[in-house]
Amino acid sequence: MNKAVDPFLMPAQQTRSAAGAPHAHESAHLHVAGEATYTDDIPELAGTLHAALGLSPVAHGRVRGIDLARLQAMPGVVAVITAADIPGLNDCGPIVHDDPILAPLGESGSVQYLGQPVFAVLAATREAARRAASLARQVIDVEALPAVLDHQQAHDQGEYVLPPMHLLRGDAAAALAAAPHRLKASFEVGGQEQFYLEGQIAYATPLENNGMRVYCSTQHPSEMQHAVAHALGLHAHHVQIECRRMGGGFGGKESQSAVFACVAAVAARKLGRPVKLRPDRDDDMLITGRRHCFIHHYDIGYDDEGRILGAEVEMISRAGYSADLSGPVMTRALCHFDNAYWLPNVALHGYSAKTNTQSNTAFRGFGGPQGAIAVEVIVDSIARQLGRDPLAVRRANFYGIGSRDTTPYGQQVEDNILQPLVDQLVASSDYAARRQAIADYNAASPVLKRGIALTPVKFGISFNVVHLNQAGALVHVYTDGTVLVNHGGTEMGQGLHTKVAQVVAHELGLDLGHVRVTATDTGKVANTSATAASTGSDLNGKAAEDAARTVRTRLAEFAARRAGVAADGVRFADNHVEVDGQRIPFEQLVMDAYMARVQLWSDGFYTTPKLHWNRETLQGRPFYYFAYGAAVSEVIVDTLTGEYKLLRADLLHDAGRSLNPAIDVGQIEGAYVQGAGWLTSEELWWQPLDGSPRAGKLMTHAPSTYKIPTANDAPAVFHTKLFDGANVEETIHRSKAVGEPPLLLGFSAFLAIRDAVSAAGNHRVDPPLRAPATPEAVLDAIDAVRAARP
């Protein structure tokens, strides 16, 4: 029987010396001591120049010229480069070639958003480069053109970066017409800045024979390799990208680290000197994109129990000025609209609207949260219209087992644990009693209102693009018995290197201290996929396991031959090898194997099985498996000010057989807070096109104006547990991904606020609460509820 377990006390896993144990992050001691080396910490070579970007001062315009002489006359300036200095392709778009590195000049060129890089200043110091680049508004001669900031307006005008997408099943129109009840409304959810603690940075150093090494804070070294090679007019083998670690990524360094890597490399090639480009936080936020804002327009048909019979939904995203990753983001939004619910008849339409804003990109969840939040708001509204507990309506719509188990995109849900997981959380959180207590509290409290919500998660794991689901690794065993591992994934604080080291240590029967993971490097493992889509441990863990198993097999065969026994009787454990009753230290066997000329290193490779996908019909099996979870959040809202406080959160998440419970719990709690922040406090705002000098500018471009959650925003009562159950699919040690799925647990915080707002109208009016639910948004919703109250 499945049961909730203490995440740090998992008896079934304690017998596994490395994999499955709650080891500390491999760099934790370096983090707390300030000794972890990030890109900006790499000692600068002699002659290093610093770059700063000059940004477009308008949201849309044609650049007629740049006063280069004025820039070059600034103190400390060595050179200025423009698009004309790029020897190869002036493009860093990851899919569609519509994303220039530097804005093209002249009649055929244009700037597409305020903040777009137009030129780069190279100077002896970073301060000198920044001072010169800050003159952009004065030195760029630009003819302003009409601009569009709002994605609804762009949709109304038919302006898109990609063709619309449509996901269809059954006959939505007929189901809507025959449904006993209808719900027609709209819901708007804002974007979200990644706000990685380490900003974007690249350090390019020219090598001999046209080579270029770029140290880069990136989630996708291979894509940076290709972008830099194309910009330089070279081949991939000329370019080496290295990343030891990032100070956070969250998707913002998947494709959008390219402009910084390319500018640094182009400047280094032109000047023959090392070049470092590290924008400050304001410029970083003005240049790069973030989570897509979405508007959902929906028409829902449902029965007396709240079961959804038909759904027609129009999803409009703010893509920004170029395609970037908006296509796959919209695909994943459409494929996650169902979340945990069986929807028999759907017509889902996705539109990636072109706006004169930063080109939006990947963010933890990659469109999945934007799609799933819509159905959660819909289910919540259905429950309020029927006067039922939203949890009862959610249960009525859950995927079934043996029936009602196929997604709108045609994948059967084979690993459904929704009911037992939710049952456990309902019991452990005391949901029913607390809901009644909150109702009693609200009846006696005219100003302060409490709210509670329980929301489930079903999140698909794999890249939607099938060929990206592959990984490679190298495992080297040295003659002293220590092990060095390299793989294609990148470490951004999520513990990927720790988990890969655990897998290798487990495979070789070693303690974790014997294994070290080195910097991700395109010169070691080639053609890697991004560390994204929650696939880092699934892919790279399996590849590293494959490599380590090959070495172990060679050692076992060598030991067996020498002892005259079968190789399958050789056992690796506790830093020793047991063969024919003899216990040999691992390092001794390794040295003996070396002397016998046994190969002690191997590559490993892994491809995710069972996947297939038709991107035209949006049908197939895009996901290897699903990760599940559920959360209960409780809030209190001041109906006079709109302020609120998150009082308690109970999280129960499915990590399969966790590779590292300590790291996974940290990921789950962090994801919950990040998800709650997206839907509550993190508001993006652009200056309207009012003719002012700041028209079209993102005004929330620094921590002074953009509010991410802090420790004070976390609930005082915070319970997190791992659901005890193995993955039904053969993943690495039967574990499940925990990078993205738990972000959706934060939905419960937003819906708890919505419940409290509903209480202000005695639950007689469906609250029109937008996201993020800032105090202003909460007050607007309270006013609307009270005004519409019968």
Side-chain angles (χ1 to χ4, degrees):
M1 178 180 176
N2 289 321
K3 57 186 182 300
V5 296
D6 187 310
F8 298 104
L9 295 173
M10 303 183 74
Q13 296 183 358
Q14 287 181 347
T15 58
R16 294 153 65 182
S17 59
H23 291 284
H25 190 287
E26 51 95 22
S27 295
H29 62 295
L30 302 176
H31 292 155
V32 298
E35 296 176 357
T37 300
Y38 295 88
T39 301
D40 197 37
D41 299 317
I42 296 171
E44 294 175 8
L45 299 175
T48 292
L49 295 174
H50 294 265
L53 296 169
L55 310 181
S56 167
V58 299
H60 189 202
R62 184 174 295 108
V63 178
R64 292 179 291 221
I66 305 172
D67 188 350
L68 297 177
R70 183 174 177 184
L71 292 171
Q72 290 165 341
M74 290 290 290
V77 171
V78 174
V80 180
I81 65 170
T82 68
D85 296 298
I86 298 173
L89 183 65
N90 182 20
D91 180 79
C92 57
I95 300 174
V96 180
H97 297 303
D98 62 348
D99 207 339
I101 299 165
L102 296 174
L105 310 181
E107 289 300 318
S108 61
S110 66
V111 286
Q112 299 279 342
Y113 70 98
L114 195 156
Q116 182 174 355
V118 178
F119 62 83
V121 176
L122 287 305
T125 67
R126 181 169 177 266
E127 181 65 22
R130 289 185 61 207
R131 285 187 180 277
S134 69
L135 298 177
R137 182 174 290 277
Q138 301 173 42
V139 301
I140 298 175
D141 179 17
V142 60
E143 174 192 354
L145 298 173
V148 174
L149 304 181
D150 180 68
H151 40 313
Q152 181 66 59
Q153 180 185 349
H155 174 63
D156 294 341
Q157 296 175 359
E159 294 290 334
Y160 309 114
V161 297
L162 296 163
M165 301 178 185
H166 306 282
L167 175 54
L168 309 174
R169 176 165 70 176
D171 189 337
L176 288 169
H181 305 280
R182 293 280 284 273
L183 170 67
K184 295 183 71 172
S186 298
F187 176 69
E188 184 170 355
V189 59
Q192 184 179 25
E193 167 63 31
Q194 291 90 355
F195 219 96
Y196 24 69
L197 292 182
E198 175 207 31
Q200 299 278 3
I201 182 171
Y203 184 31
T205 60
L207 303 176
E208 64 181 8
N209 198 23
N210 288 327
M212 184 68 65
R213 183 196 302 272
V214 183
Y215 300 96
C216 185
S217 183
T218 180
Q219 296 172 238
H220 202 341
S222 287
E223 185 170 304
M224 299 308 104
Q225 179 188 32
H226 298 152
V228 168
H230 293 155
L232 297 179
L234 299 173
H235 298 293
H237 68 195
H238 289 106
V239 179
Q240 184 178 353
I241 307 292
E242 181 176 320
C243 179
R244 171 57 183 93
R245 61 172 61 83
M246 288 168 276
F250 304 115
K253 297 176 181 177
E254 182 173 344
S255 64
Q256 299 216 351
S257 44
V259 65
F260 305 98
C262 289
V263 168
V266 166
R269 172 79 179 276
K270 179 179 176 66
L271 301 174
R273 295 171 65 175
V275 171
K276 179 185 284 188
L277 173 52
R278 176 171 67 87
D280 70 358
R281 179 69 63 179
D282 297 78
D283 286 350
D284 190 323
M285 292 181 71
L286 286 172
I287 293 167
T288 62
R290 46 201 55 85
R291 186 187 299 282
H292 293 66
C293 315
F294 266 63
I295 298 173
H296 302 277
H297 303 296
Y298 48 84
D299 186 357
I300 309 297
Y302 58 96
D303 65 17
D304 293 340
E305 300 300 312
R307 295 186 186 90
I308 296 175
L309 306 175
E312 180 149 14
V313 184
E314 190 176 78
M315 300 183 184
I316 307 163
S317 73
R318 178 190 271 128
Y321 81 99
S322 68
D324 195 81
L325 297 172
S326 292
V329 164
M330 181 58 75
T331 300
R332 192 163 282 246
L334 293 168
C335 288
H336 280 80
F337 174 76
D338 63 326
N339 193 23
Y341 311 117
W342 184 69
L343 307 175
N345 300 284
V346 298
L348 310 178
H349 314 286
Y351 302 91
S352 301
K354 179 183 174 74
T355 56
N356 295 112
T357 56
Q358 293 81 3
S359 186
N360 284 327
T361 189
F363 194 125
R364 194 177 197 174
F366 203 77
Q370 293 99 309
I373 186 62
V375 79
E376 290 301 332
V377 170
I378 288 167
V379 170
D380 194 68
S381 293
I382 290 172
R384 299 191 186 284
Q385 290 196 2
L386 293 174
R388 305 190 68 195
D389 181 345
L391 177 56
V393 176
R394 288 188 165 90
R395 287 186 185 275
N397 283 284
F398 276 171
Y399 276 103
I401 297 175
S403 63
R404 296 165 49 92
D405 61 354
T406 304
T407 66
Y409 46 89
Q411 178 167 346
Q412 186 177 7
V413 180
E414 300 171 327
D415 53 5
N416 187 352
I417 56 172
L418 283 163
Q419 290 286 7
L421 188 150
V422 170
D423 286 346
Q424 290 177 31
L425 182 62
V426 167
S428 65
S429 67
D430 202 17
Y431 173 82
R434 288 168 59 196
R435 186 166 184 81
Q436 182 58 53
I438 287 170
D440 295 341
Y441 174 91
N442 288 338
S445 176
V447 174
L448 299 180
K449 299 292 184 181
R450 294 197 178 205
I452 190 170
L454 186 155
T455 57
V457 174
K458 175 186 69 66
F459 196 91
I461 304 299
S462 289
F463 287 103
N464 280 69
V465 181
V466 173
H467 75 264
L468 297 179
N469 295 281
Q470 59 175 295
L474 297 172
V475 170
H476 295 176
V477 178
Y478 295 103
T479 54
D480 65 352
T482 60
V483 182
L484 193 69
V485 182
N486 190 267
H487 61 89
T490 52
E491 174 63 49
M492 60 193 93
Q494 84 280 39
L496 174 59
H497 284 355
T498 308
K499 289 185 174 182
V500 169
Q502 288 179 263
V503 167
V504 171
H506 175 82
E507 197 65 26
L508 296 175
L510 302 173
D511 61 51
L512 201 54
H514 279 75
V515 182
R516 181 184 177 96
V517 179
T518 59
T520 309
D521 189 333
T522 58
K524 295 179 179 178
V525 177
N527 308 320
T528 59
S529 296
T531 305
S534 302
T535 62
S537 296
D538 284 0
L539 294 176
N540 297 287
K542 272 291 193 181
E545 180 186 58
D546 181 49
R549 185 164 293 172
T550 299
V551 175
R552 188 189 71 180
T553 299
R554 291 174 187 151
L555 289 171
E557 290 173 348
F558 166 71
R561 281 197 307 272
R562 194 168 62 173
V565 298
D568 58 8
V570 178
R571 183 172 176 266
F572 292 73
D574 302 323
N575 304 323
H576 286 74
V577 181
E578 294 183 12
V579 53
D580 195 28
Q582 185 180 6
R583 199 163 184 261
I584 307 168
F586 180 79
E587 61 269 26
Q588 179 183 325
L589 178 65
V590 167
M591 177 58 78
D592 292 346
Y594 169 74
M595 297 301 292
R597 298 187 295 179
V598 174
Q599 183 178 335
L600 296 174
W601 62 269
S602 179
D603 63 322
F605 187 69
Y606 175 73
T607 62
T608 309
K610 299 185 177 181
L611 303 178
H612 57 93
W613 181 245
N614 185 321
R615 66 178 184 178
E616 302 300 326
T617 62
L618 302 186
Q619 294 292 309
R621 178 173 178 159
F623 307 121
Y624 187 29
Y625 63 88
F626 296 100
Y628 298 88
V632 177
S633 293
E634 183 179 342
V635 302
I636 189 166
V637 172
D638 186 333
T639 61
L640 299 181
T641 66
E643 295 174 284
Y644 48 82
K645 187 171 183 61
L646 184 56
L647 301 174
R648 175 175 168 176
D650 295 77
L651 316 181
L652 180 59
H653 196 74
D654 164 37
R657 291 295 182 200
S658 173
L659 285 172
N660 188 315
I663 284 176
D664 286 350
V665 167
Q667 285 289 294
I668 292 163
E669 292 182 344
Y672 169 84
V673 172
Q674 191 172 53
W678 166 47
L679 296 171
T680 58
S681 66
E682 298 187 45
E683 185 172 33
L684 298 166
W685 185 77
W686 284 262
Q687 180 75 25
L689 298 172
D690 53 10
S692 70
R694 299 185 301 183
K697 183 177 182 178
L698 175 68
M699 301 304 294
T700 49
H701 55 77
S704 59
T705 53
Y706 184 80
K707 187 184 184 308
I708 62 171
T710 67
N712 289 333
D713 296 301
V717 181
F718 205 165
H719 300 146
T720 306
K721 291 188 176 182
L722 300 181
F723 185 79
D724 188 18
N727 194 340
V728 301
E729 298 294 349
E730 195 178 342
T731 53
I732 185 69
H733 290 267
R734 300 285 179 170
S735 63
K736 285 191 177 183
V738 293
E740 294 173 310
L743 184 135
L744 282 67
L745 299 175
F747 290 4
S748 59
F750 174 78
L751 290 164
I753 296 172
R754 199 171 191 265
D755 187 53
V757 172
S758 177
N762 297 323
H763 298 295
R764 296 180 182 177
V765 179
D766 190 28
L769 181 63
R770 64 184 181 271
T774 60
E776 294 86 351
V778 171
L779 274 181
D780 287 345
I782 290 171
D783 289 344
V785 164
R786 286 177 169 165
R789 184 172 54 192

